[in-house]
Amino acid sequence: MRRPRFDQVAKLTCLSEPRHQNISNPFRAFSSTPPILSWLFPKRGHKVKSRKGRPRVPTGGSVRGTTVVWGDYGLRMRDHDRRISAKAFQIGADTIKKRLRGLKYKLFTRVCANIGVYTSGNEVRMGKGKGSFDYWASRVAVSKIIFELKGELHEQIVRDAFRLAASKMPGLYEFVRKGDPPVMGITKVGEGVTLEDMKRPRALLPSEATAARLPATAPS
């Protein structure tokens, strides 16, 4: 005797149920809630191979991303720009969470690993394309805020958490508070240094130094 198919069993079950009973499907065919985006990889994926590129250099006097915005304390890069992998960011974030376990806080990330890094195997000749995808990375400019913390935390505990995270990530970092002056390049704005002075193409020289550089000409 042949066993009935699944759709026939479902049809017989629906016919045996009373018509006034509303049977709702517990599984949703689709979700209107947007998926949670991760800061360790972009939404688009690696469909198009990205260029190697260079980190952003604020040559026009920009101080964007050098101050604490959402939290009370921040971790800022202070040596020079570089490309940091998503794995290094994840290790730094996990180190902060492990140090602050059991405390009330909120961690903000100011970077996104949206640059794909492609590598070729060992002993491969030049050419033949960029290679296969290896990992995600981010171009971090100098004086860029990486992490921010907000919550009922003592400053010394936050300093210790940021110190542990900075020791496991490439580069040199510094601890900043909310309200600290911005940084243009590697120069901190404040204490007599203004944005207008930093945006000036060159320092004004006295007239004596300017006259001394002029070539001497004999009177005609």
Side-chain angles (χ1 to χ4, degrees):
M1 182 177 180
R2 296 181 57 184
R3 299 179 60 182
R5 294 183 303 176
F6 176 77
D7 54 351
Q8 296 178 353
V9 174
K11 186 175 180 180
L12 293 175
T13 305
C14 294
L15 292 176
S16 61
E17 294 289 340
R19 291 183 176 275
H20 64 275
Q21 184 177 0
N22 185 14
I23 302 176
S24 59
N25 189 6
F27 302 101
R28 300 176 61 183
F30 65 95
S31 176
S32 59
T33 306
I36 300 176
L37 301 180
S38 176
W39 64 288
L40 297 175
F41 55 88
K43 179 182 178 181
R44 57 177 173 82
H46 52 85
K47 297 180 181 179
V48 180
K49 294 185 178 181
S50 56
R51 304 283 183 174
K52 183 177 181 180
R54 295 291 185 272
R56 181 180 63 89
V57 179
T59 56
S62 173
V63 295
R64 183 184 62 178
T66 61
T67 57
V68 180
V69 178
W70 301 314
D72 300 326
Y73 308 101
L75 183 67
R76 181 167 61 190
M77 179 176 288
R78 67 179 178 88
D79 53 350
H80 60 83
D81 48 33
R82 57 170 45 84
R83 189 176 64 184
I84 304 179
S85 64
K87 184 177 180 180
F89 286 136
Q90 183 64 49
I91 292 175
D94 292 344
T95 304
I96 295 175
K97 294 176 182 179
K98 185 177 180 179
R99 178 61 182 86
L100 304 179
R101 184 179 299 172
L103 302 177
K104 295 182 179 180
Y105 70 94
K106 189 171 184 180
L107 180 64
F108 300 94
T109 57
R110 298 284 300 272
V111 292
C112 178
N114 56 356
I115 304 299
V117 179
Y118 302 83
T119 57
S120 300
N122 297 331
E123 300 180 0
V124 176
R125 296 190 177 187
M126 297 179 63
K128 306 296 179 63
K130 290 174 65 66
S132 58
F133 174 80
D134 192 5
Y135 60 90
W136 292 108
S138 176
R139 303 189 189 109
V140 182
V142 64
S143 303
K144 172 72 175 179
I145 297 290
I146 307 296
F147 297 114
E148 293 187 13
L149 274 175
K150 182 178 183 180
E152 302 175 358
L153 301 172
H154 195 274
E155 181 177 336
Q156 196 63 31
I157 299 178
V158 179
R159 283 179 177 271
D160 189 39
F162 282 157
R163 178 186 61 82
L164 295 174
S167 64
K168 297 187 178 183
M169 293 192 303
L172 300 178
Y173 301 87
E174 62 180 351
F175 176 82
V176 293
R177 306 182 188 87
K178 189 170 186 177
D180 288 353
V183 180
M184 183 180 296
I186 58 175
T187 305
K188 295 183 180 180
V189 179
E191 299 180 359
V193 180
T194 61
L195 291 175
E196 289 73 15
D197 296 336
M198 296 296 297
K199 292 180 180 179
R200 194 167 54 189
R202 61 176 61 88
L204 297 178
L205 298 177
S207 58
E208 293 81 5
T210 305
R213 295 190 305 170
L214 296 177
T217 55
S220 57

